[in-house]
Amino acid sequence: MKEPLKITGAEAILSSLIKENVDTIFGYPGGAIMPIYDKLFDKFHKLKHILVRHEQGAAHAAQAYAMVTGKPGVCFATSGPGATNLITGITNANLDSIPIIFITAQVSSTLLGTDAFQETDMISLSMPVTKWNYQVTKANEIADAIAKAFFFAKTGRPGPVLIDITKDAQNELTEFNYKKIKSIRSYNPKPELKDEDIRTTLLLMQSSKKPLLLAGHGILLANATGQLEAFVNKTKIPVAVTLLGKSAICEDNPYYAGMLGMHGNYAPNVLTNEADLIIAAGMRFDDRVTGDLSRYAKKARIIHIDIDKAELNKNVKADIAIHADIKDFLDEIIPAINYSADKRWLEQFRKLEKIEQEKVIHKECFPENGKIRSGEVINRLSVKTAREAIIVTDVGQNQMMGARYYKYKYPNSLITSGGLGTMGFGLPAAMGAQVGRPDKTVILITGDGGFQMTAQELGTVFQYNLPVKIVIFNNNFLGMVRQWQQLFNNNRYAETNMPTPDFPLIAKAFGIEGAVVKDRAKLDQALDKMLNHNGPHLLEVKIEKEANVFPMIYPGMAVDEIILEP
């Protein structure tokens, strides 16, 4: 009898990824992972590999790829420093609920625990920031481990998983038989929606005069944007979004009420504390949304729907805590709705919007003098791209401005670091977004500080000719930290003043077109040149040095105490 064909563990890894319809891997080779890369050499016709310049860049790129495609990202790193360089990106993905398969290499199993060269206990290190992790020491474990990894990453509340594979397991021969996993005992990723929860929700809606729907990232993760739109159009309930919930509903929708949070819009923050019913859909009541919890939404009955039971009643006590997939909930409730919110309630939002427009938005987007402001740049980009672009931000003032002043039309068109707030996220994430959606214009909005944290990824942009459009707002400050120092530390700018290099010259060194603009009269021309350029382009914009982001909820304040101007 002929013996079954055997392949190496490294081949089994790649073959397993192909079985899961993976087409792109972000990674960086090294000693312990060399067997995988050697076999990858034979698989380039099926698996595209993007060679980043730092493993953190691979993690952020994989996250953005997952966010724009709806498929899990995949990331490779070698043992020791290669694997530990992923930790920030893993944590970022974990807090933002993004499915990524991290595959790290490990020293041979005979050396485990000996402090061998580049040995690091990645299972212990990654356990707090992964949904699931596992160490493989035998080649015959690989297929099953990868199948479980994809199942865990994609189902329920999505998240990152990590498989640590020893070098001898990569070289060992094994029979290959891959089976996708459809269920795992004791793991129930799809909670059952109860009819009673639907009935109670409908009853509370019927008695509500001032309802408010809060839409979070869960709407996008559940592919429930169509259901959300149908729900608000039928009920006429104002809908506000979290930072990661941005783009869950088109901002042209007549019931769109703006963004929640510390630098969100005036109306939804103020009126949260006037609402008599809050429906929280796929959001987790983050502290940046709630402000002072002891004074949050005290007039409202609260209905909280989340697929992760741990989020229910964690920060805000709900009158009805519904453990369910938000898409299932909306599909079930929409046909049963016989309710329409009072239009006078929506008019209250419109009145407050006019106040914010006059005191903040118009001054930011249409300044009559002074230096260029970041809000006017983003507003012009919104118009020039017909709101069709994917916007990727770094973290800080640039992030808040990118969220506030681009008018999002399509789902998953804002890619940003939410829960962790990772400076340096922007450039590698823009790469991942462009790889995932080559048909889209991808624009990176970043600051001079965050850009320098991962600027080496310009090498990746150059190597793969990724046509990312990079806008660097340069105020020679760590802008958001400086804003807090101004407001709360009597202008004591301790270590936030940052001289910067010649960014266009750096871009040129990487073979990327670059330019700088400092005069408002030349801004449109510079933006047009960047957008029309065939390939990557970096535009440094010299902005107002001490401009601040408002509105703002100061630390310790209630959401309805939001400040429009200092």
Side-chain angles (χ1 to χ4, degrees), residues 287-357:
D287 60 288
R288 289 296 172 105
V289 164
T290 64
D292 181 6
L293 272 171
S294 68
R295 293 183 286 162
Y296 180 76
K298 290 303 177 183
K299 297 180 182 180
R301 305 289 295 275
I302 293 176
I303 301 168
H304 189 184
I305 311 105
D306 203 287
I307 199 166
D308 185 353
K309 193 173 183 179
E311 295 296 347
L312 300 173
N313 295 315
K314 184 176 80 173
N315 296 327
V316 173
K317 175 71 175 174
D319 294 274
I320 309 175
I322 301 175
H323 183 211
D325 185 309
I326 188 60
K327 188 173 186 178
D328 291 347
F329 174 83
L330 292 172
D331 278 337
E332 189 73 22
I333 201 169
I334 288 169
I337 291 171
N338 183 23
Y339 169 83
S340 181
D342 191 328
K343 67 179 182 180
R344 290 173 296 182
W345 171 234
L346 184 64
E347 287 168 1
Q348 291 188 46
F349 286 84
R350 300 298 174 242
K351 287 178 182 177
L352 295 182
E353 284 171 6
K354 288 180 181 178
I355 294 173
E356 183 182 356
Q357 180 71 34

Side-chain angles (χ1 to χ4, degrees), residues 71-99:
K71 302 190 299 184
V74 177
C75 206
F76 283 176
T78 196
S79 65
T84 59
N85 281 344
L86 293 174
I87 289 293
T88 297
I90 296 172
T91 308
N92 198 91
N94 188 55
L95 281 169
D96 290 350
S97 305
I98 306 300

